[in-house]
Amino acid sequence: LPTTLQTTHSKQKRIVLFSTNDDDNGREDDATEETLDSESNTDENKDDDSISASIFHRFSSPRIDDPGLPLSDVLIAQIVAPSVQIFWIFLNRAPMPTWLTPISSYFGEAPELAPRGSLLAPTLIHGAGLAVCWLAGALAGRMYEREAFFLGGEEKSGLARYQTLISRLVQAGAFATGVLIVSTQLDLLLEFKRYAQFGESEETDLRLLVATVEVINDVFFEALVIATWRIVHANFMSTPENRSRRF
């Protein structure tokens, strides 16, 4: 009987020791998991801060490898793209956009009696706004870095050479489109003095529909002209004699 009691007592001690060790191991695992979680959260916060700093740096200190390219983009976006849109409107006898109104009409003169060249000023004014939108998108999409206007190396062939160019064009275009949409929303807000939406009245629906169509036309013609210009420019700059140029 004493031997049995000693054996039972020793087993109880072992169970207590094992349970104590298990509790300690569990606490250590919990502490390790908490440490890992805190480290991962810290890393995520650092990544978020670095991404935010990188995006802000694109606007505050952009890398422009070709100083003349931003000016060329502005001229293309302000003059060429709106002019192509106007030519298309006249050729198809489509309705005139609201921004293409002669300045003399604001002083009571009929638009039909406007002198020749009266559409130049509104075109340049509207084009300036589009150029600002594209300039912001180009900075956000890093379109002025060397990789954006030089095609891939000779080891690449076909569309693979245009991969970086097309990718950054899409990024810049998406950002510029967002800026244009927000600007249009603000313009409508100032016009109606309130938030307007479809279904309020026929006049409101017509104005919102016209604004939507004009935004779509602006995005289409700007994308068509700027993408064509950038692809032609990239092919020209990727020739052997131009590839070694320093700006």
Side-chain angles (χ1 to χ4, degrees):
L1 182 60
T3 305
T4 304
L5 292 174
Q6 290 177 358
T7 303
T8 304
H9 186 65
S10 61
K11 289 181 178 180
Q12 291 177 352
K13 286 183 177 180
R14 291 177 182 177
I15 292 172
V16 172
L17 289 175
F18 288 156
S19 62
T20 304
N21 292 332
D22 292 339
D23 293 338
D24 294 337
N25 291 332
R27 292 173 182 174
E28 292 178 358
D29 293 338
D30 293 339
T32 303
E33 291 178 357
E34 292 178 357
T35 303
L36 292 175
D37 292 338
S38 62
E39 291 178 355
S40 62
N41 292 332
T42 303
D43 294 337
E44 291 178 357
N45 293 332
K46 289 181 179 179
D47 293 339
D48 294 338
D49 294 338
S50 62
I51 292 174
S52 301
S54 175
I55 294 175
F56 180 75
H57 186 72
R58 296 180 186 181
F59 296 94
S60 61
S61 300
R63 178 183 143 199
I64 301 177
D65 294 328
D66 184 358
L69 191 55
L71 179 60
S72 301
D73 276 358
V74 168
L75 295 177
I76 293 292
Q78 181 182 7
I79 300 175
V80 179
S83 300
V84 172
Q85 181 178 352
I86 293 173
F87 292 150
W88 179 85
I89 289 174
F90 278 106
L91 288 176
N92 291 274
R93 297 182 179 179
M96 301 281 285
T98 56
W99 52 266
L100 194 61
T101 303
I103 296 180
S104 59
S105 63
Y106 293 102
F107 301 98
E109 184 178 353
E112 297 80 7
L113 301 178
R116 182 176 299 178
S118 59
L119 300 181
L120 178 61
T123 301
L124 294 178
I125 293 173
H126 183 71
L130 297 177
V132 170
C133 294
W134 168 248
L135 188 61
L139 292 176
R142 296 178 297 171
M143 290 297 299
Y144 299 120
E145 297 180 1
R146 190 180 184 88
E147 297 80 10
F149 56 87
F150 277 90
L151 301 180
E154 297 180 354
E155 66 277 0
K156 296 182 180 180
S157 60
L159 294 177
R161 301 183 63 196
Y162 296 87
Q163 182 178 0
T164 302
L165 173 61
I166 294 176
S167 175
R168 297 198 181 184
L169 269 175
V170 172
Q171 295 175 10
F175 191 92
T177 302
V179 174
L180 178 60
I181 292 174
V182 172
S183 302
T184 305
Q185 292 281 358
L186 293 176
D187 182 60
L188 292 173
L189 184 63
L190 294 175
E191 180 179 344
F192 286 100
K193 302 294 190 298
R194 58 182 175 80
Y195 176 75
Q197 56 184 353
F198 286 100
E200 294 182 358
S201 64
E202 294 183 358
E203 295 179 358
T204 303
D205 291 348
L206 179 60
R207 180 64 185 95
L208 295 179
L209 184 61
V210 169
T212 303
V213 173
E214 289 180 357
V215 168
I216 294 174
N217 288 337
D218 287 338
V219 171
F220 174 78
F221 285 100
E222 288 286 334
L224 177 65
V225 173
I226 291 178
T228 303
W229 146 247
R230 278 310 193 109
I231 291 174
V232 172
H233 177 261
N235 280 281
F236 174 76
M237 295 301 296
S238 298
T239 56
E241 57 272 15
N242 289 327
R243 186 175 286 276
S244 58
R245 287 179 58 186
R246 292 184 178 181
F247 300 98

